[in-house]
Amino acid sequence: MDAMTDTTAFDADPVEFYGTRVGSRLLLGTAQYPSPAILAEAIRGSGAEIVTVSLRRESGVAKPGQPLAGQSFWQLIRDLGVKVLPNTAGCKTVKEAVTTAEMARELFGTPWVKLEVIGEDDTLQPDVFGLVEAARILSRDGFQVFPYTTEDLIVAEKLLSAGCEVLMPWGAPIGSGRGLNNPYGLRSLRAHFPRVPLVVDAGLGLPSHAAAAMEMGYDAVLLNTAVAKAGDPVRMARAFARAIEAGRDAVIADPMEVRDMAAPSTPVMGRAVFGE
Amino acid sequence: MASLQQSTTDDGAAAPAANAMRVRIIGGGVAGLTSAHAFARRGARVTLVERRAATGQGCSWYAGGMLAPWCERESAEPIIAELGLESLEYWRSAVPDVPNEGSLVLAPPRDLPDLKRFARRTSGFEWADGGRLAALEPDLGGRFDQGLFFPTEAHLEPRKALAALTRKLVDEHQVTIRYEADGLDDGEAPADVIVDCRGLAARDVLADLRGVKGEMLVLYSREIALARPVRMLHPRIPVYIVPRGDGHFMIGATSIENDERGRVTGRSMLELLGAAYALHPAFGEAEIVEIGADVRPAFPDNIPRLRRRGRTIYLNGLYRHGFLAAPALARRAAALAFDGTACPEVMDEDHREW
């Protein structure tokens, strides 16, 4: 697509996950907000269309088939009319993650799942081996998997061959607010998989981190703590939404190349260029 | 605040006058009991109806009893701190044994950024270095290099406090307490005003009420003593360790978006015990005396409300702030009934018909 001449790109620039088009490139987590009212306002104010929800922590469901104990909370989220992306946060084994995903599909009636298989408690680093295995099982079972992974290229390849059509590499450890720890790795992931929707998930703290991810050509950004734990989550959500839009616009606008020498932005008239 | 000063003199007032306002309070948790007190102080003839066999057995039973308006400002709206300041004064005068030892906020070394954030969003504290911390809590000496000390906060033992308040209501204020399932209908005792303090059970009429589950445990150890509550910062939940005297410590509380009563999970216990253990390894050897869970009533913004519909005033949505907010709301409920003074900061609905 020639973005320079496509005027619709400026106004409507949807991103597509598993055939579902969404207008907003900000995905928001729903945990740790001061109140559901503030969460709702943050979602509305930022225009986010996809929110992740943690089944294990919030639902209080012991077995599939039981009613959701956290119903009022889900109702508040449903009332916002957003798409729910259930996650398997806190799961540490393939089995746990698969069971949680199955529960989520039954409860939320969606094949989408953000797959987390956590390998280590201190960094909440993905267990990429378990992740690939769980992704294979779930994809075969009809799930549309959004894997939370590292920026490792080979892991990314394995996830794609396991059936994933979206990749969600981390920016930095969950909740750390450090931004993009490995810009080179993220860039090369983008370069290797130019047509796979890529979402930077976790570790961002500031809107500028999100803008940087978008400028690298990432398709979207997923956040939770940076917004939920801000002093004013509603304003922070809006700040991120704007930064993501700015970064995305910058990519479409085709930025200039970096050069070593100064290049005057005003034409220099009446002056000899050479031989001074 | 004027009525609170008044309260110190009108406590133990004579029996209500023959033409006194007849008030029925439904629910004998912290909201109901403080409402009974507020109305009785104003001269009302108060009947309180509690469905259980004793007062204070609902989620008040599992409360931490921290009276920490400044600390709560970290995540709560300013109105909570305002109500909390008033309630702090109330508890100091209304019940015995409210230690005015302040409270401490500490963080494990790796979570020090959280301590800075906590400091940025609160006031009424002093930074305490290792020496100061050791002077305040000798058993914590050498374990922490910095922390926040909130000198004017206090804490109470919720179960003892509500038992004392119940005795006071019956003995000094001629409040009638009926232990029966339903106080919603007039029956043989018509009321001028009904104050509905049923907590989550009032969801049948307050549709936007939701449950927020909280889990707690009580530990017993003679190896460590604390004079004041300690809040251990934790990435997800604020864990506090409240000394209950006689070697007992209450550790609370999780905050989970569901309304499932009773079930306590291993994960929650791990988190609560982990925080206690991080505060002092002696808690690793402590005896687990009790674990419990209940569901707090909350409105979507986690701010409590008074709602008036006809002759009923609903006092609800106290969320994590039962002891911190109930007395101040109860006083406003009485002011609404007696003086018609509305308080828009906690009222979003007022359909007066009396």
Side-chain angles (χ1 to χ4, degrees):
Chain A
M1 181 183 72
D2 185 1
M4 299 294 285
T5 54
D6 184 356
T7 52
T8 59
F10 194 75
D11 300 312
D13 173 33
V15 57
E16 202 171 303
F17 301 117
Y18 290 101
T20 299
R21 295 182 131 210
V22 290
S24 167
R25 290 164 181 271
L26 167 62
L27 287 70
L28 271 183
T30 55
Q32 305 182 63
Y33 288 77
S35 70
I38 289 175
L39 162 65
E41 215 182 315
I43 293 172
R44 271 195 298 262
S46 66
E49 293 170 40
I50 298 174
V51 299
T52 65
V53 294
S54 159
L55 186 67
R56 294 177 60 82
R57 291 299 304 171
E58 313 290 358
S59 69
V61 172
K63 290 182 200 133
Q66 289 182 351
L68 270 181
Q71 245 171 21
S72 357
F73 184 72
W74 301 127
Q75 199 52 52
L76 283 163
I77 290 178
R78 282 199 197 100
D79 289 348
L80 294 165
V82 289
K83 243 187 122 36
V84 170
L85 173 59
N87 67 45
T88 62
C91 290
K92 293 190 169 173
T93 63
V94 172
K95 193 171 170 224
E96 223 186 336
V98 169
T99 310
T100 306
E102 285 166 351
M103 222 187 277
R105 179 165 64 180
E106 185 172 335
L107 292 166
F108 295 102
T110 171
W112 282 14
V113 64
K114 176 187 159 183
L115 183 60
E116 281 186 32
V117 183
I118 297 300
E120 210 269 328
D121 267 338
D122 283 336
T123 56
L124 296 178
Q125 180 154 348
D127 166 2
V128 293
F129 301 95
L131 183 70
V132 171
E133 194 187 331
R136 189 173 296 125
I137 295 169
L138 291 172
S139 300
R140 211 179 281 154
D141 195 20
F143 281 91
Q144 297 174 339
V145 179
F146 295 61
Y148 166 61
T149 183
T150 65
E151 68 279 14
D152 189 281
L153 296 179
I154 311 308
V155 172
E157 267 176 17
K158 304 268 183 207
L159 286 168
L160 295 174
S161 58
C164 297
E165 294 176 22
V166 178
L167 296 174
M168 305 218 291
W170 62 351
I174 295 173
S176 67
R178 303 184 64 85
L180 307 177
N181 258 0
N182 182 0
Y184 163 75
L186 289 169
R187 255 183 236 287
S188 73
L189 188 70
R190 178 73 284 178
H192 270 74
F193 305 105
R195 269 174 293 278
V196 176
L198 297 183
V199 182
V200 168
D201 175 8
L204 305 191
L206 290 170
S208 54
H209 300 152
M214 296 307 291
E215 286 166 9
M216 281 180 189
Y218 274 76
D219 294 282
V221 165
L222 196 159
L223 301 163
N224 191 346
T225 312
V227 170
K229 290 293 196 184
D232 182 345
V234 177
R235 189 174 282 262
M236 191 58 94
R238 199 178 59 194
F240 268 102
R242 288 172 172 173
I244 288 164
E245 256 177 63
R248 178 64 190 167
D249 273 347
V251 170
I252 297 171
D254 190 10
M256 63 172 282
E257 290 301 319
V258 176
R259 49 195 295 158
D260 290 332
M261 297 299 157
S265 53
T266 313
V268 181
M269 301 291 281
R271 241 171 87 191
V273 175
F274 299 105
E276 285 203 342
Chain B
M1 293 298 228
S3 71
L4 279 171
Q5 283 159 7
Q6 190 190 344
S7 73
T8 51
T9 55
D10 72 5
D11 260 36
N19 62 347
M21 182 188 287
R22 293 164 303 176
V23 176
R24 186 160 67 248
I25 314 270
I26 306 171
V30 67
L33 291 168
T34 53
S35 293
H37 197 191
F39 277 86
R41 280 173 157 180
R42 297 291 304 261
R45 181 183 302 278
V46 177
T47 302
L48 187 148
V49 184
E50 165 56 47
R51 63 177 167 166
R52 293 184 180 83
T55 55
Q57 305 286 304
C59 48
S60 301
W61 187 253
Y62 300 103
M66 310 238 309
L67 303 172
W70 288 277
C71 278
E72 284 302 323
R73 189 62 192 93
E74 187 250 345
S75 58
E77 301 284 337
I79 179 69
I80 299 299
E82 198 182 305
L83 297 170
L85 285 174
E86 184 181 329
S87 299
L88 185 56
E89 292 309 313
Y90 168 85
W91 290 115
R92 280 175 175 147
S93 66
V95 296
D97 301 326
V98 181
N100 291 303
E101 299 288 349
S103 53
L104 278 178
V105 178
L106 300 173
R110 66 159 60 173
D111 292 330
L112 283 177
D114 289 333
L115 194 63
K116 286 184 189 135
R117 181 177 51 88
F118 198 98
R120 222 166 43 232
R121 294 190 189 160
T122 53
S123 59
F125 62 84
E126 302 156 12
W127 277 98
D129 61 11
R132 180 84 197 280
L133 291 172
L136 288 165
E137 297 289 358
D139 283 353
L140 298 182
R143 294 195 52 78
F144 295 91
D145 293 329
Q146 51 184 325
L148 305 176
F149 176 45
F150 292 77
T152 48
E153 296 188 333
H155 66 285
L156 50 72
E157 213 284 47
R159 299 170 187 182
K160 286 184 187 160
L162 292 190
L165 184 55
T166 302
R167 279 194 300 276
K168 184 184 186 119
L169 291 174
V170 173
D171 297 346
E172 297 173 24
H173 292 280
Q174 285 77 47
V175 170
T176 306
I177 303 187
R178 299 201 326 245
Y179 295 99
E180 56 187 50
D182 192 359
L184 293 176
D185 297 324
D186 269 342
E188 288 167 18
D192 302 309
V193 176
I194 294 169
V195 187
D196 186 324
C197 301
R198 287 181 293 147
L200 198 58
R203 193 151 51 166
D204 55 353
V205 279
L206 304 175
D208 51 347
L209 213 51
R210 78 183 199 287
V212 181
K213 179 176 168 181
E215 297 150 289
M216 54 79 81
L217 78 156
V218 178
L219 294 178
Y220 173 78
S221 171
R222 284 294 181 188
E223 288 177 48
I224 177 168
L226 294 174
R228 54 186 62 74
V230 178
R231 209 175 277 242
M232 280 295 280
L233 295 187
H234 179 288
R236 273 195 308 281
I237 49 172
V239 179
Y240 42 82
I241 294 110
V242 189
R244 288 268 167 98
D246 295 327
H248 287 83
F249 300 85
M250 184 271 187
I251 323 285
T254 57
S255 219
I256 300 174
E257 284 291 345
N258 75 49
D259 47 23
E260 181 198 45
R261 277 207 162 80
R263 195 171 70 103
V264 177
T265 65
R267 181 187 301 239
S268 295
M269 284 304 104
L270 263 174
E271 284 178 350
L272 296 179
L273 283 168
Y277 186 71
L279 180 67
H280 200 288
F283 285 117
E285 300 299 321
E287 178 186 343
I288 296 179
V289 178
E290 179 186 345
I291 60 175
D294 210 326
V295 179
R296 318 164 176 101
F299 289 112
D301 56 8
N302 294 342
I303 295 175
R305 296 276 195 293
L306 295 177
R307 282 182 184 161
R308 177 159 62 172
R309 294 179 190 165
R311 61 174 178 154
T312 303
I313 297 173
Y314 296 90
L315 193 167
N316 216 317
L318 289 162
Y319 181 51
R320 292 178 51 234
H321 305 120
F323 282 79
L324 192 63
L329 279 170
R331 186 184 67 77
R332 283 164 174 74
L336 181 66
F338 276 92
D339 315 325
T341 316
C343 31
E345 74 276 19
V346 289
M347 285 181 72
D348 53 5
E349 197 180 303
D350 188 9
H351 306 296
R352 186 182 178 180
E353 287 166 21
W354 76 70

mmCIF file of all heavy atoms in Angstrom, chain B residues 70-99:
data_model
loop_
_atom_site.group_PDB
_atom_site.id
_atom_site.type_symbol
_atom_site.label_atom_id
_atom_site.label_comp_id
_atom_site.label_asym_id
_atom_site.label_seq_id
_atom_site.Cartn_x
_atom_site.Cartn_y
_atom_site.Cartn_z
ATOM 1 N N TRP B 70 -4.173 9.147 55.778
ATOM 2 C CA TRP B 70 -3.097 9.687 54.930
ATOM 3 C C TRP B 70 -2.549 8.606 54.010
ATOM 4 O O TRP B 70 -2.309 8.848 52.843
ATOM 5 C CB TRP B 70 -1.995 10.307 55.805
ATOM 6 C CG TRP B 70 -2.429 11.586 56.430
ATOM 7 C CD1 TRP B 70 -2.404 12.823 55.851
ATOM 8 C CD2 TRP B 70 -3.006 11.753 57.729
ATOM 9 N NE1 TRP B 70 -2.925 13.753 56.720
ATOM 10 C CE2 TRP B 70 -3.301 13.138 57.874
ATOM 11 C CE3 TRP B 70 -3.297 10.896 58.774
ATOM 12 C CZ2 TRP B 70 -3.866 13.655 59.028
ATOM 13 C CZ3 TRP B 70 -3.860 11.410 59.929
ATOM 14 C CH2 TRP B 70 -4.142 12.771 60.053
ATOM 15 N N CYS B 71 -2.332 7.415 54.574
ATOM 16 C CA CYS B 71 -1.839 6.309 53.742
ATOM 17 C C CYS B 71 -2.816 5.988 52.614
ATOM 18 O O CYS B 71 -2.417 5.726 51.486
ATOM 19 C CB CYS B 71 -1.660 5.040 54.582
ATOM 20 S SG CYS B 71 -0.123 4.981 55.502
ATOM 21 N N GLU B 72 -4.090 5.996 52.930
ATOM 22 C CA GLU B 72 -5.076 5.604 51.926
ATOM 23 C C GLU B 72 -5.090 6.555 50.739
ATOM 24 O O GLU B 72 -5.521 6.223 49.645
ATOM 25 C CB GLU B 72 -6.475 5.515 52.539
ATOM 26 C CG GLU B 72 -6.695 4.268 53.375
ATOM 27 C CD GLU B 72 -6.484 2.977 52.588
ATOM 28 O OE1 GLU B 72 -6.849 2.934 51.398
ATOM 29 O OE2 GLU B 72 -5.937 2.024 53.164
ATOM 30 N N ARG B 73 -4.606 7.750 50.965
ATOM 31 C CA ARG B 73 -4.594 8.748 49.895
ATOM 32 C C ARG B 73 -3.746 8.283 48.712
ATOM 33 O O ARG B 73 -3.890 8.796 47.611
ATOM 34 C CB ARG B 73 -4.100 10.076 50.470
ATOM 35 C CG ARG B 73 -4.223 11.251 49.551
ATOM 36 C CD ARG B 73 -5.669 11.545 49.182
ATOM 37 N NE ARG B 73 -5.690 12.499 48.075
ATOM 38 C CZ ARG B 73 -5.742 12.138 46.801
ATOM 39 N NH1 ARG B 73 -5.789 10.876 46.461
ATOM 40 N NH2 ARG B 73 -5.754 13.061 45.855
ATOM 41 N N GLU B 74 -2.894 7.319 48.959
ATOM 42 C CA GLU B 74 -2.048 6.817 47.867
ATOM 43 C C GLU B 74 -2.893 6.335 46.696
ATOM 44 O O GLU B 74 -2.574 6.569 45.540
ATOM 45 C CB GLU B 74 -1.167 5.667 48.370
ATOM 46 C CG GLU B 74 -0.145 5.211 47.358
ATOM 47 C CD GLU B 74 -0.434 3.829 46.790
ATOM 48 O OE1 GLU B 74 -1.261 3.100 47.365
ATOM 49 O OE2 GLU B 74 0.140 3.486 45.767
ATOM 50 N N SER B 75 -3.986 5.635 47.002
ATOM 51 C CA SER B 75 -4.792 5.104 45.903
ATOM 52 C C SER B 75 -6.257 5.529 45.975
ATOM 53 O O SER B 75 -6.996 5.336 45.026
ATOM 54 C CB SER B 75 -4.704 3.574 45.891
ATOM 55 O OG SER B 75 -5.153 3.052 47.123
ATOM 56 N N ALA B 76 -6.674 6.109 47.087
ATOM 57 C CA ALA B 76 -8.093 6.460 47.223
ATOM 58 C C ALA B 76 -8.331 7.927 46.865
ATOM 59 O O ALA B 76 -7.406 8.738 46.836
ATOM 60 C CB ALA B 76 -8.563 6.185 48.643
ATOM 61 N N GLU B 77 -9.574 8.246 46.602
ATOM 62 C CA GLU B 77 -9.952 9.622 46.271
ATOM 63 C C GLU B 77 -9.813 10.516 47.517
ATOM 64 O O GLU B 77 -9.904 10.032 48.643
ATOM 65 C CB GLU B 77 -11.406 9.647 45.799
ATOM 66 C CG GLU B 77 -11.695 8.780 44.592
ATOM 67 C CD GLU B 77 -11.206 9.393 43.289
ATOM 68 O OE1 GLU B 77 -11.038 10.625 43.235
ATOM 69 O OE2 GLU B 77 -10.962 8.635 42.336
ATOM 70 N N PRO B 78 -9.645 11.832 47.296
ATOM 71 C CA PRO B 78 -9.464 12.739 48.445
ATOM 72 C C PRO B 78 -10.610 12.664 49.461
ATOM 73 O O PRO B 78 -10.385 12.837 50.656
ATOM 74 C CB PRO B 78 -9.414 14.126 47.791
ATOM 75 C CG PRO B 78 -9.019 13.884 46.383
ATOM 76 C CD PRO B 78 -9.493 12.516 46.010
ATOM 77 N N ILE B 79 -11.831 12.375 49.001
ATOM 78 C CA ILE B 79 -12.961 12.339 49.917
ATOM 79 C C ILE B 79 -12.761 11.269 50.995
ATOM 80 O O ILE B 79 -13.201 11.424 52.142
ATOM 81 C CB ILE B 79 -14.303 12.120 49.148
ATOM 82 C CG1 ILE B 79 -15.503 12.061 50.101
ATOM 83 C CG2 ILE B 79 -14.268 10.867 48.318
ATOM 84 C CD1 ILE B 79 -15.847 13.343 50.766
ATOM 85 N N ILE B 80 -12.067 10.182 50.649
ATOM 86 C CA ILE B 80 -11.836 9.108 51.628
ATOM 87 C C ILE B 80 -10.960 9.626 52.774
ATOM 88 O O ILE B 80 -11.218 9.345 53.950
ATOM 89 C CB ILE B 80 -11.164 7.885 50.957
ATOM 90 C CG1 ILE B 80 -12.070 7.314 49.851
ATOM 91 C CG2 ILE B 80 -10.822 6.801 51.963
ATOM 92 C CD1 ILE B 80 -13.410 6.816 50.331
ATOM 93 N N ALA B 81 -9.951 10.398 52.423
ATOM 94 C CA ALA B 81 -9.083 10.967 53.459
ATOM 95 C C ALA B 81 -9.878 11.927 54.343
ATOM 96 O O ALA B 81 -9.730 11.945 55.567
ATOM 97 C CB ALA B 81 -7.903 11.678 52.814
ATOM 98 N N GLU B 82 -10.753 12.691 53.716
ATOM 99 C CA GLU B 82 -11.561 13.657 54.467
ATOM 100 C C GLU B 82 -12.487 12.939 55.459
ATOM 101 O O GLU B 82 -12.563 13.292 56.633
ATOM 102 C CB GLU B 82 -12.392 14.456 53.448
ATOM 103 C CG GLU B 82 -12.944 15.744 53.947
ATOM 104 C CD GLU B 82 -13.777 16.415 52.851
ATOM 105 O OE1 GLU B 82 -13.237 16.629 51.738
ATOM 106 O OE2 GLU B 82 -14.953 16.669 53.104
ATOM 107 N N LEU B 83 -13.177 11.919 54.957
ATOM 108 C CA LEU B 83 -14.049 11.138 55.836
ATOM 109 C C LEU B 83 -13.214 10.432 56.903
ATOM 110 O O LEU B 83 -13.621 10.314 58.057
ATOM 111 C CB LEU B 83 -14.829 10.087 55.024
ATOM 112 C CG LEU B 83 -15.800 10.614 53.956
ATOM 113 C CD1 LEU B 83 -16.302 9.463 53.078
ATOM 114 C CD2 LEU B 83 -16.972 11.347 54.582
ATOM 115 N N GLY B 84 -12.022 9.994 56.493
ATOM 116 C CA GLY B 84 -11.155 9.253 57.401
ATOM 117 C C GLY B 84 -10.678 10.097 58.570
ATOM 118 O O GLY B 84 -10.611 9.625 59.711
ATOM 119 N N LEU B 85 -10.357 11.351 58.307
ATOM 120 C CA LEU B 85 -9.905 12.227 59.389
ATOM 121 C C LEU B 85 -10.989 12.394 60.430
ATOM 122 O O LEU B 85 -10.743 12.360 61.641
ATOM 123 C CB LEU B 85 -9.521 13.597 58.811
ATOM 124 C CG LEU B 85 -8.201 13.627 58.062
ATOM 125 C CD1 LEU B 85 -7.978 14.981 57.416
ATOM 126 C CD2 LEU B 85 -7.065 13.308 59.020
ATOM 127 N N GLU B 86 -12.207 12.558 59.955
ATOM 128 C CA GLU B 86 -13.325 12.728 60.874
ATOM 129 C C GLU B 86 -13.553 11.434 61.663
ATOM 130 O O GLU B 86 -13.762 11.461 62.881
ATOM 131 C CB GLU B 86 -14.582 13.101 60.070
ATOM 132 C CG GLU B 86 -15.768 13.383 60.951
ATOM 133 C CD GLU B 86 -17.020 13.737 60.142
ATOM 134 O OE1 GLU B 86 -16.880 14.314 59.047
ATOM 135 O OE2 GLU B 86 -18.119 13.411 60.622
ATOM 136 N N SER B 87 -13.484 10.296 60.961
ATOM 137 C CA SER B 87 -13.742 9.015 61.619
ATOM 138 C C SER B 87 -12.670 8.690 62.658
ATOM 139 O O SER B 87 -12.958 8.104 63.697
ATOM 140 C CB SER B 87 -13.807 7.900 60.574
ATOM 141 O OG SER B 87 -14.847 8.153 59.666
ATOM 142 N N LEU B 88 -11.439 9.079 62.349
ATOM 143 C CA LEU B 88 -10.334 8.861 63.287
ATOM 144 C C LEU B 88 -10.662 9.508 64.634
ATOM 145 O O LEU B 88 -10.516 8.899 65.692
ATOM 146 C CB LEU B 88 -9.070 9.465 62.673
ATOM 147 C CG LEU B 88 -7.725 9.308 63.360
ATOM 148 C CD1 LEU B 88 -7.405 7.847 63.595
ATOM 149 C CD2 LEU B 88 -6.638 9.941 62.503
ATOM 150 N N GLU B 89 -11.140 10.748 64.575
ATOM 151 C CA GLU B 89 -11.531 11.439 65.805
ATOM 152 C C GLU B 89 -12.672 10.703 66.500
ATOM 153 O O GLU B 89 -12.711 10.580 67.722
ATOM 154 C CB GLU B 89 -11.964 12.879 65.491
ATOM 155 C CG GLU B 89 -10.839 13.771 65.024
ATOM 156 C CD GLU B 89 -9.645 13.706 65.967
ATOM 157 O OE1 GLU B 89 -9.839 13.809 67.197
ATOM 158 O OE2 GLU B 89 -8.507 13.512 65.480
ATOM 159 N N TYR B 90 -13.607 10.222 65.701
ATOM 160 C CA TYR B 90 -14.752 9.516 66.263
ATOM 161 C C TYR B 90 -14.297 8.305 67.070
ATOM 162 O O TYR B 90 -14.674 8.128 68.220
ATOM 163 C CB TYR B 90 -15.703 9.065 65.144
ATOM 164 C CG TYR B 90 -16.752 8.087 65.620
ATOM 165 C CD1 TYR B 90 -17.939 8.538 66.195
ATOM 166 C CD2 TYR B 90 -16.557 6.709 65.531
ATOM 167 C CE1 TYR B 90 -18.897 7.643 66.659
ATOM 168 C CE2 TYR B 90 -17.502 5.812 65.986
ATOM 169 C CZ TYR B 90 -18.672 6.272 66.541
ATOM 170 O OH TYR B 90 -19.605 5.387 67.010
ATOM 171 N N TRP B 91 -13.484 7.459 66.448
ATOM 172 C CA TRP B 91 -13.089 6.219 67.130
ATOM 173 C C TRP B 91 -12.309 6.508 68.396
ATOM 174 O O TRP B 91 -12.438 5.807 69.395
ATOM 175 C CB TRP B 91 -12.260 5.330 66.196
ATOM 176 C CG TRP B 91 -13.069 4.729 65.078
ATOM 177 C CD1 TRP B 91 -12.923 4.974 63.743
ATOM 178 C CD2 TRP B 91 -14.150 3.789 65.198
ATOM 179 N NE1 TRP B 91 -13.849 4.255 63.021
ATOM 180 C CE2 TRP B 91 -14.612 3.515 63.893
ATOM 181 C CE3 TRP B 91 -14.783 3.170 66.276
ATOM 182 C CZ2 TRP B 91 -15.670 2.637 63.638
ATOM 183 C CZ3 TRP B 91 -15.828 2.295 66.030
ATOM 184 C CH2 TRP B 91 -16.268 2.036 64.715
ATOM 185 N N ARG B 92 -11.496 7.554 68.352
ATOM 186 C CA ARG B 92 -10.709 7.887 69.543
ATOM 187 C C ARG B 92 -11.613 8.195 70.723
ATOM 188 O O ARG B 92 -11.282 7.896 71.869
ATOM 189 C CB ARG B 92 -9.792 9.077 69.258
ATOM 190 C CG ARG B 92 -8.542 8.664 68.512
ATOM 191 C CD ARG B 92 -7.698 9.857 68.129
ATOM 192 N NE ARG B 92 -6.444 9.416 67.529
ATOM 193 C CZ ARG B 92 -5.800 10.078 66.581
ATOM 194 N NH1 ARG B 92 -6.282 11.214 66.124
ATOM 195 N NH2 ARG B 92 -4.681 9.611 66.095
ATOM 196 N N SER B 93 -12.769 8.799 70.451
ATOM 197 C CA SER B 93 -13.635 9.159 71.566
ATOM 198 C C SER B 93 -14.709 8.109 71.820
ATOM 199 O O SER B 93 -15.240 8.015 72.916
ATOM 200 C CB SER B 93 -14.284 10.528 71.303
ATOM 201 O OG SER B 93 -15.159 10.420 70.197
ATOM 202 N N ALA B 94 -15.041 7.283 70.827
ATOM 203 C CA ALA B 94 -16.199 6.409 70.974
ATOM 204 C C ALA B 94 -15.874 5.067 71.620
ATOM 205 O O ALA B 94 -16.716 4.484 72.289
ATOM 206 C CB ALA B 94 -16.844 6.166 69.606
ATOM 207 N N VAL B 95 -14.697 4.541 71.398
ATOM 208 C CA VAL B 95 -14.383 3.220 71.943
ATOM 209 C C VAL B 95 -13.029 3.271 72.649
ATOM 210 O O VAL B 95 -12.189 4.111 72.328
ATOM 211 C CB VAL B 95 -14.351 2.129 70.832
ATOM 212 C CG1 VAL B 95 -15.711 1.959 70.192
ATOM 213 C CG2 VAL B 95 -13.295 2.441 69.787
ATOM 214 N N PRO B 96 -12.825 2.366 73.621
ATOM 215 C CA PRO B 96 -11.516 2.315 74.283
ATOM 216 C C PRO B 96 -10.494 1.628 73.379
ATOM 217 O O PRO B 96 -10.851 1.047 72.359
ATOM 218 C CB PRO B 96 -11.793 1.476 75.537
ATOM 219 C CG PRO B 96 -12.974 0.628 75.177
ATOM 220 C CD PRO B 96 -13.785 1.395 74.171
ATOM 221 N N ASP B 97 -9.241 1.678 73.753
ATOM 222 C CA ASP B 97 -8.172 0.947 73.070
ATOM 223 C C ASP B 97 -8.010 1.314 71.597
ATOM 224 O O ASP B 97 -8.147 0.472 70.717
ATOM 225 C CB ASP B 97 -8.396 -0.577 73.163
ATOM 226 C CG ASP B 97 -8.460 -1.043 74.605
ATOM 227 O OD1 ASP B 97 -7.742 -0.446 75.420
ATOM 228 O OD2 ASP B 97 -9.234 -1.975 74.895
ATOM 229 N N VAL B 98 -7.770 2.570 71.347
ATOM 230 C CA VAL B 98 -7.402 2.968 69.986
ATOM 231 C C VAL B 98 -5.967 3.501 70.059
ATOM 232 O O VAL B 98 -5.758 4.674 70.321
ATOM 233 C CB VAL B 98 -8.358 4.039 69.424
ATOM 234 C CG1 VAL B 98 -7.958 4.415 68.002
ATOM 235 C CG2 VAL B 98 -9.791 3.537 69.448
ATOM 236 N N PRO B 99 -4.988 2.628 69.866
ATOM 237 C CA PRO B 99 -3.598 3.085 70.015
ATOM 238 C C PRO B 99 -3.247 4.161 68.977
ATOM 239 O O PRO B 99 -3.474 3.966 67.785
ATOM 240 C CB PRO B 99 -2.783 1.807 69.772
ATOM 241 C CG PRO B 99 -3.735 0.676 69.943
ATOM 242 C CD PRO B 99 -5.073 1.211 69.533
#
